[in-house]
Amino acid sequence: MDVISNSAPMISVVLPVYNGASYLRESIDCILVQSYSNFELLIIDDGSTDDSASIVSSFTDPRIRFYSQENKGLAATLNRGIALAKGAYIARQDQDDISLPDRLSKQVAFMETHPDCGMAGTWASILEEQKPTKRLHRHDADNLSLQFDLLFDNPFVHSSLMIRKTVFDEVGVYCTNPDRQPPEDYEMWSRVARKFRVANIPEVLHIYREVPQSMSRSGNNPFLQHLLKINVENLMWATGGRYSDQSLRDLAALIHGAYPQFSRKTSLGELISIVHDAAIALCDHAGTPYREIQEKVQYRVNNLRYHYYQARHLGFLGESGRRALAHIMRAGRKLVEKQWRLRVIR
């Protein structure tokens, strides 16, 4: 057990709350029983109308600092937590998730032994509300794979992250522009990865709870449009501006199956070149041989070929139309196979 000093804590755990009464006590408890104890727990109630405030107030642990505010949204609340934080590391915790007892201990040990790493997440198991599942968030762990994944998707569990506080001095805090977030986490990690190495600890140290509504996904949510926009920015950065904005938008649209947004002006060959050039640039930036990411790049290219074919030839059908066509093709194949077997028997 670590001794709590009178000086600033090593870690500031930031826990934003918005109508989180259902699982809030469990979320706070799991932090207070961590095997690493030199932390402060910053809880910020973002205008809850349920019993969240009274639940937080029932805790008497001196490491808790509790603040309330009018509703400002997740990104703004996290930024307030960052501003209030005294620790060298900021750890995220969500109101409905659970950190396993050694999470903070293992993360701070990793960050102390990897001083060039700006942030580190963990693997997470998944709860469907209160029901355990066998599903895991088991993202890649190494810097290069994560840098490549970040071009297109978010390979981190937000509430599992520990971030060096000085990182925010370099890249800024969470974006609050409604034209860019959500996904506020993906937008943030993309900026971090352009300046720092990133990592996931390949061990389940967190439990992510899937609930019907979350703090960041309620209301009108143009998530896909923001996601595509950040994809384009990441690809533009990785390829050094060698490709047109239209080509990058087409690649992002196909990767996410947003066929109506594919212009059909960009050839498959150019789209594949973008993926390869981005990967090569990331390898050069990280000082890592291309062969270490070659298989991952090829998987993405194969996936891109599939979506290109769908968008060029079957995209007009829509999802239901493509399923119907696939059903017809399977039925036709079975009929041909049956007729062939009958000819053989005769």
Side-chain angles (χ1 to χ4, degrees), residues 23 96-97 125-131 133 135 137 207-214:
Y23 304 108
D96 41 24
D97 293 345
S125 59
I126 298 173
L127 280 176
E128 292 176 352
E129 298 201 58
Q130 301 186 57
K131 179 183 175 184
T133 74
R135 294 185 291 128
H137 286 300
I207 301 174
Y208 176 81
R209 192 187 309 269
E210 292 180 342
V211 293
Q213 290 184 329
S214 68

Side-chain angles (χ1 to χ4, degrees), residues 213-233:
Q213 290 184 329
S214 68
M215 187 173 179
S216 61
R217 302 287 179 260
S218 58
N220 184 29
N221 183 7
F223 186 91
L224 177 61
Q225 298 308 314
H226 299 163
L227 180 68
L228 299 181
K229 182 183 295 185
I230 298 167
N231 278 190
V232 170
E233 292 172 359

Side-chain angles (χ1 to χ4, degrees), residues 78-126:
L78 290 172
N79 288 341
R80 188 181 183 194
I82 294 168
L84 292 167
K86 298 177 181 177
Y89 299 106
I90 293 177
R92 283 282 291 106
Q93 172 69 20
D94 274 351
Q95 64 189 17
D96 41 24
D97 293 345
I98 301 168
S99 291
L100 299 183
D102 290 333
R103 176 199 158 189
L104 296 183
S105 173
K106 293 192 175 183
Q107 279 186 296
V108 78
F110 180 89
M111 297 298 281
E112 290 287 287
T113 54
H114 296 78
D116 58 345
C117 184
M119 66 182 206
T122 78
W123 286 356
S125 59
I126 298 173

Side-chain angles (χ1 to χ4, degrees), residues 9-26:
M10 180 66 86
I11 303 169
S12 296
V13 181
V14 176
L15 198 172
V17 179
Y18 179 68
N19 290 342
S22 298
Y23 304 108
L24 184 56
R25 186 174 297 281
E26 192 175 6

Side-chain angles (χ1 to χ4, degrees), residues 141-155:
D142 67 286
N143 174 67
L144 182 57
S145 295
L146 292 170
Q147 295 268 0
F148 182 71
D149 285 342
L150 269 168
L151 294 175
F152 309 103
D153 289 304
N154 178 13

Side-chain angles (χ1 to χ4, degrees), residues 152-226:
F152 309 103
D153 289 304
N154 178 13
F156 296 98
V157 177
H158 190 175
S159 54
S160 80
L161 261 293
M162 178 176 284
I163 310 159
R164 213 175 290 276
K165 190 178 180 184
T166 52
V167 164
F168 296 105
D169 299 331
E170 290 280 333
V171 306
V173 293
Y174 287 89
C175 178
T176 57
N177 183 345
D179 291 332
R180 293 178 60 81
Q181 61 86 27
E184 60 284 317
D185 48 353
Y186 179 45
E187 199 275 347
M188 183 78 210
W189 314 149
S190 295
R191 282 186 279 133
V192 172
R194 293 171 197 164
K195 291 200 171 187
F196 297 91
R197 296 177 72 84
V198 294
N200 273 319
I201 297 175
E203 184 177 351
V204 174
L205 297 171
H206 198 62
I207 301 174
Y208 176 81
R209 192 187 309 269
E210 292 180 342
V211 293
Q213 290 184 329
S214 68
M215 187 173 179
S216 61
R217 302 287 179 260
S218 58
N220 184 29
N221 183 7
F223 186 91
L224 177 61
Q225 298 308 314
H226 299 163

